[in-house]
Amino acid sequence: MSHDFLQMHLKAVISCLLIFLYKVHTTKAGQFFSSGHTNNWAVLVCTSRFWFNYRHVANTLSVYRSVKRLGIPDSHIVLMLADDMACNYRNPKPATVFSHKNMELNVYGDDVEVDYRGYEVTVENFLRVLTGRLPPSTPRSKRLLSDDRSNILIYLTGHGGNGFLKFQDSEEISNMELADAFEQMWQKRRYNELLFIIDTCQGASMYERFYSPNLMALASSQVGEDSLSHQPDLAIGVHLMDKYTFYLLEFLEEVHPASQANMNDLFKVCPQSQCVSTPGHRTDLFQRDPGSVLITDFFGSVRKVEITKDTINLTSPVEPPIQRSGSGDIQIESLTYVDQLPVAEIIHQKPKQKDWHPPDGFILGLWTLILLVFFQTYGIKHLKHIF
Amino acid sequence: SISQSSLFLNKKQHSSSKDQFQEELVIRPLHSGDIYASFQFRTLWDTDFLQEGQKKVSHYRLFPKSLGQVLSKFSVQELHISFTQGFWRTMQWGQPFIPSPPGAELWVWFHDTVSDVDGNWKELTNVLSGIFCASLNFIDMTNTVQPSASFKPLGLGNATDHRFLRYATLPREIVCTENLTPWKKLLPCGSKAGLAVLMKSEKLFHSSFHSQAVHIRPICQDEQCTSKAWELRQTLNVVFDHYTSGQGKKEWSLFKMFSRTLTEACPLASSSKVYVDITDNPELSPATPLLSQAVVLGDRRTYSVYDLTRAETFGQLRSFNLLLRWKGDNMLRPLLHAERYVAGFGLQTGEIHTVIYNNHPYRAFPVLLMDSVPWYLQLYIHTLTVTSKSRDNKPSYIHYQPAKDRHRPHLLEMLIQLPPHSMTEVTVQFERALLKWTEYTPDPNHGFYVGSSVVSALVPSMVAMSTNFTQDQPLFSSFVPVKEESSYFVRVYTEPLLVNLPTPDFSMPYNVICLTCTVVAVGYGSFYNLLTRTFQVDEPSPPLAKRLANFIRRIRGVPLLA
């Protein structure tokens, strides 16, 4: 009996130990994945064309600059600019886009990669990027290759109204289309959490229709209000930024990759006293409490690092192929360059072989008529002379 | 010491990996006060991209991997792509080392083993649009042509079946920092060391002319030319304006042009040189004993050479800045020059005039003119006239491929003999087509662009050109292979045209819908009501007192009130 008691005791101890180890293991692994995402993507879109919409390009580029500074690489950013302001002929300082007057801050910089530019920024391309339904020959830099563990930041700016956003002054995207696109993304598991920021007039109408989970949205103005632009620069001659994005940029300039600022701070950006319009936000579809969501979960690409003390053996480097197959053969004939303008050859060039087409109806009809007339006049007995 | 050791390491590897990198910068003062700077970066690699299977190239060192994979996947024999902002003014600036048209231009020779050239071309343009951040995916069958005599391969090759050549140009393409960034990343040293540190976009795009290009072709490895190597040339040509950047003085320095000075050569380069054109005797400091003469574009010119791989070039301050001062002299008129413009009025018809000038005093030479016109300008080829010195000049070769609406553009190639010291005018009338309303761009009132015409010619040279191929030749004189001594090959691009097409009122569909719905609602609706409405007499309900009185009367059995 003492033996059984000992066995039971041993079993209890072992099971307790196992449970304890399992808990430790899960908490350690749990800590590793506590925020739920492993990679970050950003889709930044400016939808306006023409020089007087300089401020929309500056808005998008300032968000691009912050996102790059906080760690998201170019390969994970899809930047769409509907018009070129930096190298526009009206720009007195080419290759620059300023956000502050007196040319204090050049948000264009020296290292920028625009994926969709000019006429390529259309509603169709935007929705295709979001849902991933692109033609097979699209290069990687133009695709949103997110998975179910990606946090995506989507930023839209341009001219908008109640329920729509204007693309390039010729087409619109409605809030229903946008909500359906996000639902498609959810069903295909293309995002873990999504932050949607929009800076247009009546921007709040664009997120009213969302119905997919894990979406958080911010807008620069409520329905019925206009978003206003910030300040013009007299040398450039246009308004440089919109108020909401200007204060958003100022807020983000203080965020660094290890910052603990959370979404509640972001909701407080640009109150009505500064922005004139009332910024709005929507968090009912979001699972986590906004106070526990870090800014860098969406704007940065912070990765947790695991340090190991084990040694790892690197494999020996790949030997480059030493000889080509052709070097063994003796190629005596020397290769030559082609004559750039061989006049004699060009003049006597044979015409290209045209594809053979069956004779036209007119030609057939004409020949039939000729044959008929022939046989009419000379009779059928001459047929054997022909064939 | 770190760079020295890496240099040693690279030298050791150089003998086994068979690739080398050279960089050079040529500075040429122009007589109008502007200054022309031409960067060339060349990577030479002895390998074969078109191998399959085991021998497939997978280890890249100096040659960029993105381009190498493109070459092997699409079986490309030659690739030439250029992005240009501005137009090269031949009359004021002379001939460029490497010409390019405004916008983007891409021409590719595929290997003769390719079976579906069009499919490869379509995929190639998409891949290149991702590499260079440009909208090259707009290149499709409506703006691609297959020239039949122009654009012969600039590299080695014997097959000149023009079925494997494709040419397309996008005159509307904008060039900005986003195209320069990936271009700089293809260089072995990036923009961190060597001549590429001078490439700052704020200065490069504040210029009259900026052109960056990538040229890939197979060339001879040595003088006997028994084996071939792949050559990748990245060129950047820029002309800085006398008035906007030079403040009106014919005095330039590297710092004034680029807002940077050179501090070291690229450690991976086997040669890194700066050439300054001193044929017109400008004042140059710092002075250098190294001089070099080269015959380029039919002219013998003298250059001062600065070798950046030598430490003494950088002097005490470890930085190299050039100072150049000259007086404007008369410039030799360029021998070949072309212009193009649209004549006519209204939005229905017009006329394209191409004018080619031959400024040689006594020699006549043939030129090949290639025109690619989009399908919405319907050319009437029966109105084509070629006149020189007010007499008809019949071309010895004409190739015309008419356009198919929405499928392919017009292609017109002519070989014209230009009489000496003359002006030749080529005119053709056209009619503008109506596009469908979805085919207009979002800003249709800007107009539609027609790509530049290309004039290719073998211009007689004043000075004998050397046909020998040497390894030490400077890069700027070895771009076009020289076959004969008495003439040099030159390509001149005309201006692109901007044509207005009749633009509809895009609010009309909305207006039509509103008007039609209103007319239907008011007209038909009232007519229907008139026909089908019936009228019934309806008595209003009596007030409460009357209802109560009627109720009591009913109980009593007495007749009710009205």
Side-chain angles (χ1 to χ4, degrees):
Chain A
M1 194 164 97
S2 66
H3 181 68
D4 290 328
F5 178 71
L6 208 66
Q7 258 193 347
M8 215 170 61
H9 197 70
L10 205 64
K11 274 196 198 141
V13 165
I14 289 169
S15 54
C16 274
L17 202 67
L18 281 171
I19 292 167
F20 175 68
L21 279 171
Y22 178 68
K23 257 213 161 79
V24 164
H25 178 73
T26 45
T27 44
K28 203 166 166 191
Q31 265 169 23
F32 196 79
F33 289 113
S34 67
S35 61
H37 74 281
T38 57
N39 55 74
N40 283 78
W41 287 81
V43 179
L44 311 172
V45 184
C46 160
T47 59
S48 306
R49 174 160 277 277
F50 304 123
W51 173 246
F52 52 82
N53 290 321
Y54 182 103
R55 58 189 188 280
H56 296 138
V57 173
N59 287 352
T60 318
L61 285 172
S62 50
V63 177
Y64 172 76
R65 174 204 145 77
S66 310
V67 148
K68 254 181 97 154
R69 197 175 50 84
L70 291 171
I72 303 188
D74 268 316
S75 53
H76 282 226
I77 304 177
V78 178
L79 178 61
M80 303 170 84
L81 297 179
D83 202 359
D84 171 58
M85 299 301 165
C87 289
N88 197 313
Y89 293 114
R90 285 169 155 171
N91 194 347
K93 291 212 80 187
T96 57
V97 174
F98 292 107
S99 60
H100 289 59
K101 69 172 183 208
N102 301 326
M103 304 184 186
E104 281 166 21
L105 181 60
N106 175 17
V107 287
Y108 195 57
D110 218 11
D111 183 18
V112 56
E113 286 184 19
V114 181
D115 301 306
Y116 286 85
R117 56 191 210 149
Y119 299 131
E120 287 178 288
V121 179
T122 56
V123 174
E124 187 192 335
N125 280 350
F126 175 58
L127 292 177
R128 280 185 186 278
V129 163
L130 286 183
T131 53
R133 295 159 130 185
L134 290 159
S137 50
T138 316
R140 284 181 74 101
S141 57
K142 287 183 163 174
R143 286 179 189 260
L144 179 66
L145 297 164
S146 56
D147 53 26
D148 64 323
R149 289 254 149 261
S150 310
N151 274 13
I152 308 183
L153 165 72
I154 297 186
Y155 177 82
L156 292 174
T157 181
H159 288 289
N162 190 353
F164 67 92
L165 171 64
K166 209 162 63 150
F167 265 71
Q168 298 223 34
D169 212 24
S170 65
E171 47 181 4
E172 304 100 35
I173 186 173
S174 65
N175 49 5
M176 245 0 264
E177 281 177 359
L178 199 55
D180 287 339
F182 287 154
E183 176 63 15
Q184 266 198 50
M185 285 174 80
W186 174 251
Q187 296 207 357
K188 286 165 81 168
R189 297 289 179 266
R190 280 171 67 80
Y191 70 90
N192 174 39
E193 283 167 351
L194 202 145
L195 175 64
F196 175 77
I197 305 182
I198 184 160
D199 187 352
T200 62
C201 303
Q202 309 194 49
S205 61
M206 289 304 284
Y207 61 65
E208 271 172 0
R209 302 291 191 106
F210 288 173
Y211 55 93
S212 319
N214 282 352
L215 290 178
M216 193 180 331
L218 277 110
S220 59
S221 55
Q222 301 291 337
V223 175
E225 286 178 351
D226 284 335
S227 287
L228 301 174
S229 57
H230 188 59
Q231 35 171 232
D233 181 292
L234 296 173
I236 299 177
V238 282
H239 284 263
L240 294 179
M241 281 272 268
D242 277 334
K243 283 191 154 73
Y244 180 73
T245 314
F246 181 82
Y247 290 108
L248 181 69
L249 175 68
E250 275 196 4
F251 170 75
L252 288 173
E253 287 285 297
E254 270 141 50
V255 173
H256 54 88
S259 148
Q260 294 293 313
N262 58 36
M263 281 296 155
N264 285 332
D265 303 324
L266 193 61
F267 296 154
K268 292 199 204 97
V269 161
C270 207
Q272 194 172 14
S273 53
Q274 279 177 326
C275 255
V276 184
S277 57
T278 320
H281 57 266
R282 181 177 175 178
T283 52
D284 56 318
L285 294 164
F286 205 72
Q287 311 257 356
R288 294 193 283 152
D289 168 41
S292 70
V293 179
L294 298 176
I295 298 280
T296 49
D297 276 353
F298 288 102
F299 284 89
S301 189
V302 186
R303 223 71 63 71
K304 291 186 178 57
V305 178
E306 193 182 308
I307 301 175
T308 174
K309 292 210 165 74
D310 309 325
T311 51
I312 300 169
N313 284 327
L314 297 170
T315 54
S316 53
V318 173
E319 285 295 319
I322 303 164
Q323 277 169 358
R324 286 185 298 145
S325 60
S327 62
D329 313 316
I330 304 166
Q331 282 187 353
I332 308 168
E333 23 108 11
S334 61
L335 309 154
T336 50
Y337 288 106
V338 177
D339 209 356
Q340 288 299 309
L341 195 71
V343 177
E345 201 186 295
I346 291 173
I347 294 175
H348 298 113
Q349 201 160 311
K350 282 203 210 56
K352 248 184 351 175
Q353 298 285 14
K354 283 201 263 274
D355 299 326
W356 183 79
H357 292 290
D360 226 354
F362 172 72
I363 305 288
L364 272 174
L366 191 67
W367 277 106
T368 320
L369 189 68
I370 293 169
L371 284 171
L372 269 171
V373 166
F374 177 77
F375 288 121
Q376 198 81 347
T377 45
Y378 294 108
I380 204 98
K381 62 180 193 292
H382 287 268
L383 200 62
K384 64 175 192 295
H385 294 289
I386 301 162
F387 293 107
Chain B
S1 70
I2 296 171
S3 62
Q4 271 184 350
S5 61
S6 65
L7 199 68
F8 174 67
L9 208 71
N10 288 331
K11 275 210 166 89
K12 218 174 113 174
Q13 278 181 359
H14 165 70
S15 51
S16 65
S17 50
K18 299 184 277 199
D19 54 358
Q20 59 160 304
F21 174 67
Q22 296 162 312
E23 54 179 18
E24 89 179 14
L25 164 63
V26 181
I27 297 181
R28 188 164 97 189
L30 302 168
H31 94 108
S32 56
D34 307 325
I35 193 155
Y36 171 33
S38 171
F39 292 84
Q40 283 208 33
F41 301 91
R42 178 170 94 157
T43 308
L44 207 60
W45 196 16
D46 182 14
T47 182
D48 193 358
F49 284 113
L50 303 168
Q51 291 266 30
E52 286 293 316
Q54 280 284 1
K55 297 268 168 52
K56 197 163 174 168
V57 177
S58 57
H59 181 63
Y60 291 85
R61 201 174 76 101
L62 295 175
F63 201 95
K65 184 173 178 181
S66 47
L67 290 180
Q69 288 181 325
V70 163
L71 292 179
S72 47
K73 180 159 186 221
F74 299 111
S75 309
V76 170
Q77 173 96 343
E78 250 185 62
L79 182 112
H80 299 268
I81 183 167
S82 73
F83 297 96
T84 310
Q85 180 202 56
F87 179 66
W88 182 269
R89 291 170 233 262
T90 316
M91 286 304 275
Q92 286 148 307
W93 300 337
Q95 295 282 4
F97 293 122
I98 298 182
S100 51
E105 184 202 41
L106 171 67
W107 56 282
V108 175
W109 273 93
F110 289 95
H111 207 247
D112 46 13
T113 53
V114 171
S115 53
D116 180 17
V117 181
D118 287 329
N120 275 22
W121 170 252
K122 184 86 191 117
E123 286 195 34
L124 178 65
T125 51
N126 277 315
V127 168
L128 289 175
S129 88
I131 294 177
F132 291 106
C133 288
S135 327
L136 296 175
N137 45 323
F138 285 131
I139 294 178
D140 54 9
M141 286 296 117
T142 58
N143 48 22
T144 310
V145 288
Q146 195 181 309
S148 64
S150 314
F151 292 102
K152 295 254 183 254
L154 282 168
L156 290 176
N158 48 2
T160 54
D161 188 352
H162 280 257
R163 280 185 297 136
F164 296 102
L165 169 64
R166 291 289 182 275
Y167 173 86
T169 167
L170 291 173
R172 182 73 157 119
E173 192 64 19
I174 302 158
V175 186
C176 208
T177 314
E178 65 249 23
N179 304 110
L180 186 64
T181 310
W183 188 92
K184 281 197 286 192
K185 287 182 182 165
L186 295 173
L187 296 170
C189 282
S191 52
K192 309 272 189 312
L195 291 171
V197 297
L198 296 176
M199 294 184 191
K200 288 297 160 196
S201 52
E202 285 182 22
K203 283 288 189 175
L204 283 181
F205 290 103
H206 197 45
S207 57
S208 303
F209 179 83
H210 168 99
S211 169
Q212 62 198 54
V214 171
H215 300 276
I216 305 178
R217 56 179 180 162
I219 61 164
C220 291
Q221 247 188 330
D222 48 21
E223 289 202 30
Q224 289 82 30
C225 215
T226 43
S227 61
K228 60 180 177 181
W230 283 88
E231 177 196 71
L232 162 70
R233 269 194 204 226
Q234 286 179 255
T235 65
L236 194 136
N237 291 339
V238 59
V239 174
F240 290 104
D241 194 89
H242 182 43
Y243 292 107
T244 55
S245 325
Q247 287 100 44
K249 284 189 279 205
K250 291 192 170 108
E251 185 185 312
W252 289 93
S253 69
L254 274 187
F255 189 77
K256 205 180 202 180
M257 289 197 276
F258 302 108
S259 70
R260 291 277 185 293
T261 56
L262 291 167
T263 48
E264 56 165 345
C266 173
L268 297 168
S270 61
S271 107
S272 176
K273 295 200 167 100
V274 177
Y275 292 84
V276 184
D277 189 335
I278 54 170
T279 321
D280 299 318
N281 295 318
E283 263 178 60
L284 181 62
S285 79
T288 173
L290 291 168
L291 290 176
S292 140
Q293 283 217 341
V295 181
V296 61
L297 297 169
D299 203 7
R300 182 179 298 280
R301 305 198 67 95
T302 320
Y303 294 90
S304 284
V305 185
Y306 297 89
D307 192 348
L308 297 174
T309 48
R310 299 225 220 118
E312 53 265 15
T313 324
F314 296 103
Q316 291 277 39
L317 299 165
R318 303 280 286 272
S319 103
F320 172 68
N321 188 11
L322 218 59
L323 196 62
L324 203 61
R325 204 179 295 147
W326 74 100
K327 296 192 193 3
D329 281 74
N330 291 335
M331 189 192 71
L332 270 158
R333 285 181 68 178
L335 292 176
L336 180 65
H337 169 54
E339 283 173 356
R340 193 163 73 148
Y341 55 89
V342 172
F345 59 91
L347 285 174
Q348 195 177 359
T349 53
E351 212 172 270
I352 299 182
H353 289 242
T354 311
V355 184
I356 312 175
Y357 296 90
N358 176 2
N359 293 325
H360 201 285
Y362 51 85
R363 291 280 300 271
F365 54 86
V367 300
L368 189 59
L369 170 69
M370 188 187 95
D371 249 319
S372 161
V373 178
W375 63 267
Y376 40 82
L377 294 188
Q378 294 156 341
L379 296 181
Y380 291 124
I381 292 293
H382 70 278
T383 58
L384 176 70
T385 60
V386 183
T387 44
S388 312
K389 288 182 171 170
S390 55
R391 272 193 317 201
D392 220 12
N393 183 351
K394 189 160 152 22
S396 27
Y397 170 79
I398 301 185
H399 171 75
Y400 173 62
Q401 194 187 48
K404 248 194 207 171
D405 273 6
R406 300 176 180 86
H407 277 281
R408 51 160 207 245
H410 298 273
L411 174 67
L412 178 63
E413 277 184 278
M414 293 192 290
L415 186 69
I416 308 172
Q417 184 83 359
L418 298 181
H421 205 69
S422 68
M423 177 188 98
T424 306
E425 193 165 335
V426 179
T427 59
V428 62
Q429 287 180 7
F430 66 86
E431 198 177 76
R432 294 165 223 235
L434 285 173
L435 297 179
K436 295 183 185 165
W437 76 299
T438 47
E439 288 171 344
Y440 286 95
T441 54
D443 54 351
N445 291 302
H446 180 92
F448 288 77
Y449 282 87
V450 178
S452 314
S453 300
V454 188
V455 177
S456 320
L458 274 173
V459 181
S461 157
M462 308 286 198
V463 176
M465 311 274 291
S466 106
T467 50
N468 292 335
F469 165 84
T470 50
Q471 277 282 15
D472 305 324
Q473 245 182 344
L475 293 176
F476 61 90
S477 57
S478 62
F479 184 62
V480 181
V482 178
K483 282 273 198 172
E484 45 169 339
E485 293 178 341
S486 56
S487 56
Y488 62 96
F489 179 72
V490 81
R491 203 169 263 149
V492 176
Y493 289 93
T494 63
E495 298 93 330
L497 300 174
L498 185 58
V499 181
N500 264 323
L501 288 184
T503 311
D505 181 2
F506 291 101
S507 63
M508 276 314 283
Y510 168 76
N511 294 341
V512 166
I513 292 171
C514 282
L515 192 67
T516 316
C517 290
T518 312
V519 165
V520 167
V522 170
Y524 175 71
S526 33
F527 193 62
Y528 177 80
N529 276 336
L530 246 125
L531 290 178
T532 55
R533 201 184 281 160
T534 56
F535 291 93
Q536 287 174 334
V537 180
D538 190 26
E539 281 181 16
S541 61
L544 186 63
K546 234 183 189 174
R547 269 193 279 157
L548 207 59
N550 276 339
F551 178 67
I552 294 168
R553 281 188 173 224
R554 218 182 286 135
I555 294 170
R556 283 174 57 196
V558 166
L560 299 168
L561 287 171

mmCIF file of all heavy atoms in Angstrom, chain B residues 211-228:
data_model
loop_
_atom_site.group_PDB
_atom_site.id
_atom_site.type_symbol
_atom_site.label_atom_id
_atom_site.label_comp_id
_atom_site.label_asym_id
_atom_site.label_seq_id
_atom_site.Cartn_x
_atom_site.Cartn_y
_atom_site.Cartn_z
ATOM 1 N N SER B 211 19.397 62.618 -67.892
ATOM 2 C CA SER B 211 19.073 61.350 -68.531
ATOM 3 C C SER B 211 19.841 60.241 -67.849
ATOM 4 O O SER B 211 21.046 60.353 -67.663
ATOM 5 C CB SER B 211 19.453 61.409 -70.005
ATOM 6 O OG SER B 211 19.384 60.130 -70.574
ATOM 7 N N GLN B 212 19.159 59.194 -67.439
ATOM 8 C CA GLN B 212 19.836 58.037 -66.862
ATOM 9 C C GLN B 212 19.443 56.819 -67.670
ATOM 10 O O GLN B 212 18.303 56.699 -68.097
ATOM 11 C CB GLN B 212 19.460 57.861 -65.396
ATOM 12 C CG GLN B 212 18.016 57.600 -65.189
ATOM 13 C CD GLN B 212 17.584 57.862 -63.775
ATOM 14 O OE1 GLN B 212 17.797 58.930 -63.217
ATOM 15 N NE2 GLN B 212 16.957 56.891 -63.180
ATOM 16 N N ALA B 213 20.406 55.964 -67.910
ATOM 17 C CA ALA B 213 20.146 54.839 -68.796
ATOM 18 C C ALA B 213 20.888 53.607 -68.324
ATOM 19 O O ALA B 213 21.865 53.696 -67.591
ATOM 20 C CB ALA B 213 20.574 55.179 -70.220
ATOM 21 N N VAL B 214 20.391 52.476 -68.776
ATOM 22 C CA VAL B 214 21.045 51.191 -68.527
ATOM 23 C C VAL B 214 21.173 50.507 -69.879
ATOM 24 O O VAL B 214 20.199 50.386 -70.608
ATOM 25 C CB VAL B 214 20.203 50.315 -67.571
ATOM 26 C CG1 VAL B 214 20.768 48.923 -67.496
ATOM 27 C CG2 VAL B 214 20.166 50.931 -66.203
ATOM 28 N N HIS B 215 22.394 50.098 -70.222
ATOM 29 C CA HIS B 215 22.623 49.411 -71.503
ATOM 30 C C HIS B 215 23.316 48.090 -71.206
ATOM 31 O O HIS B 215 24.372 48.076 -70.577
ATOM 32 C CB HIS B 215 23.532 50.249 -72.406
ATOM 33 C CG HIS B 215 22.987 51.596 -72.730
ATOM 34 N ND1 HIS B 215 22.089 51.813 -73.746
ATOM 35 C CD2 HIS B 215 23.198 52.800 -72.175
ATOM 36 C CE1 HIS B 215 21.778 53.083 -73.801
ATOM 37 N NE2 HIS B 215 22.427 53.716 -72.866
ATOM 38 N N ILE B 216 22.716 47.014 -71.646
ATOM 39 C CA ILE B 216 23.320 45.690 -71.430
ATOM 40 C C ILE B 216 23.508 45.052 -72.787
ATOM 41 O O ILE B 216 22.577 45.004 -73.588
ATOM 42 C CB ILE B 216 22.406 44.790 -70.577
ATOM 43 C CG1 ILE B 216 22.064 45.487 -69.268
ATOM 44 C CG2 ILE B 216 23.092 43.479 -70.292
ATOM 45 C CD1 ILE B 216 21.127 44.684 -68.407
ATOM 46 N N ARG B 217 24.717 44.570 -73.082
ATOM 47 C CA ARG B 217 24.962 43.921 -74.368
ATOM 48 C C ARG B 217 26.181 43.021 -74.243
ATOM 49 O O ARG B 217 27.010 43.207 -73.346
ATOM 50 C CB ARG B 217 25.206 44.981 -75.436
ATOM 51 C CG ARG B 217 26.335 45.882 -75.061
ATOM 52 C CD ARG B 217 26.624 46.925 -76.079
ATOM 53 N NE ARG B 217 27.736 47.738 -75.631
ATOM 54 C CZ ARG B 217 28.449 48.518 -76.414
ATOM 55 N NH1 ARG B 217 28.157 48.593 -77.692
ATOM 56 N NH2 ARG B 217 29.445 49.232 -75.946
ATOM 57 N N PRO B 218 26.300 42.042 -75.151
ATOM 58 C CA PRO B 218 27.514 41.225 -75.161
ATOM 59 C C PRO B 218 28.576 41.916 -76.010
ATOM 60 O O PRO B 218 28.267 42.433 -77.085
ATOM 61 C CB PRO B 218 27.057 39.916 -75.812
ATOM 62 C CG PRO B 218 25.880 40.278 -76.624
ATOM 63 C CD PRO B 218 25.286 41.539 -76.096
ATOM 64 N N ILE B 219 29.822 41.943 -75.510
ATOM 65 C CA ILE B 219 30.893 42.573 -76.295
ATOM 66 C C ILE B 219 32.104 41.658 -76.343
ATOM 67 O O ILE B 219 32.157 40.644 -75.660
ATOM 68 C CB ILE B 219 31.322 43.934 -75.705
ATOM 69 C CG1 ILE B 219 31.871 43.752 -74.285
ATOM 70 C CG2 ILE B 219 30.203 44.919 -75.716
ATOM 71 C CD1 ILE B 219 32.643 44.953 -73.819
ATOM 72 N N CYS B 220 33.064 42.081 -77.187
ATOM 73 C CA CYS B 220 34.299 41.311 -77.304
ATOM 74 C C CYS B 220 35.100 41.442 -76.020
ATOM 75 O O CYS B 220 35.191 42.510 -75.443
ATOM 76 C CB CYS B 220 35.184 41.895 -78.414
ATOM 77 S SG CYS B 220 34.551 41.674 -80.037
ATOM 78 N N GLN B 221 35.689 40.334 -75.627
ATOM 79 C CA GLN B 221 36.512 40.406 -74.418
ATOM 80 C C GLN B 221 37.891 40.945 -74.709
ATOM 81 O O GLN B 221 38.518 41.559 -73.866
ATOM 82 C CB GLN B 221 36.670 39.002 -73.846
ATOM 83 C CG GLN B 221 35.996 38.855 -72.537
ATOM 84 C CD GLN B 221 36.329 37.537 -71.908
ATOM 85 O OE1 GLN B 221 36.577 36.561 -72.593
ATOM 86 N NE2 GLN B 221 36.337 37.509 -70.623
ATOM 87 N N ASP B 222 38.422 40.640 -75.875
ATOM 88 C CA ASP B 222 39.787 41.056 -76.208
ATOM 89 C C ASP B 222 39.845 41.413 -77.684
ATOM 90 O O ASP B 222 38.839 41.414 -78.374
ATOM 91 C CB ASP B 222 40.786 39.938 -75.879
ATOM 92 C CG ASP B 222 40.302 38.609 -76.438
ATOM 93 O OD1 ASP B 222 39.471 38.624 -77.367
ATOM 94 O OD2 ASP B 222 40.731 37.561 -75.936
ATOM 95 N N GLU B 223 41.067 41.716 -78.129
ATOM 96 C CA GLU B 223 41.188 42.207 -79.507
ATOM 97 C C GLU B 223 40.872 41.156 -80.557
ATOM 98 O O GLU B 223 40.352 41.464 -81.604
ATOM 99 C CB GLU B 223 42.605 42.738 -79.726
ATOM 100 C CG GLU B 223 42.816 44.019 -78.976
ATOM 101 C CD GLU B 223 43.950 44.844 -79.558
ATOM 102 O OE1 GLU B 223 44.190 44.767 -80.768
ATOM 103 O OE2 GLU B 223 44.582 45.540 -78.771
ATOM 104 N N GLN B 224 41.180 39.910 -80.255
ATOM 105 C CA GLN B 224 40.921 38.869 -81.268
ATOM 106 C C GLN B 224 39.439 38.563 -81.349
ATOM 107 O O GLN B 224 38.973 38.029 -82.342
ATOM 108 C CB GLN B 224 41.673 37.567 -80.937
ATOM 109 C CG GLN B 224 43.167 37.644 -81.122
ATOM 110 C CD GLN B 224 43.825 38.267 -79.918
ATOM 111 O OE1 GLN B 224 43.327 38.146 -78.817
ATOM 112 N NE2 GLN B 224 44.931 38.954 -80.136
ATOM 113 N N CYS B 225 38.726 38.879 -80.286
ATOM 114 C CA CYS B 225 37.274 38.712 -80.268
ATOM 115 C C CYS B 225 36.865 37.268 -80.459
ATOM 116 O O CYS B 225 36.019 36.947 -81.291
ATOM 117 C CB CYS B 225 36.643 39.582 -81.362
ATOM 118 S SG CYS B 225 35.057 40.238 -80.870
ATOM 119 N N THR B 226 37.483 36.372 -79.695
ATOM 120 C CA THR B 226 37.098 34.972 -79.806
ATOM 121 C C THR B 226 36.048 34.593 -78.782
ATOM 122 O O THR B 226 35.360 33.607 -78.936
ATOM 123 C CB THR B 226 38.314 34.056 -79.574
ATOM 124 O OG1 THR B 226 39.031 34.599 -78.445
ATOM 125 C CG2 THR B 226 39.213 34.037 -80.780
ATOM 126 N N SER B 227 35.935 35.374 -77.738
ATOM 127 C CA SER B 227 34.899 35.043 -76.755
ATOM 128 C C SER B 227 34.200 36.333 -76.361
ATOM 129 O O SER B 227 34.735 37.423 -76.524
ATOM 130 C CB SER B 227 35.517 34.387 -75.525
ATOM 131 O OG SER B 227 36.411 35.267 -74.929
ATOM 132 N N LYS B 228 33.016 36.155 -75.853
ATOM 133 C CA LYS B 228 32.271 37.362 -75.515
ATOM 134 C C LYS B 228 32.006 37.438 -74.021
ATOM 135 O O LYS B 228 31.958 36.444 -73.307
ATOM 136 C CB LYS B 228 30.971 37.425 -76.295
ATOM 137 C CG LYS B 228 30.009 36.302 -76.078
ATOM 138 C CD LYS B 228 28.791 36.570 -76.946
ATOM 139 C CE LYS B 228 27.794 35.436 -76.827
ATOM 140 N NZ LYS B 228 26.641 35.672 -77.666
#
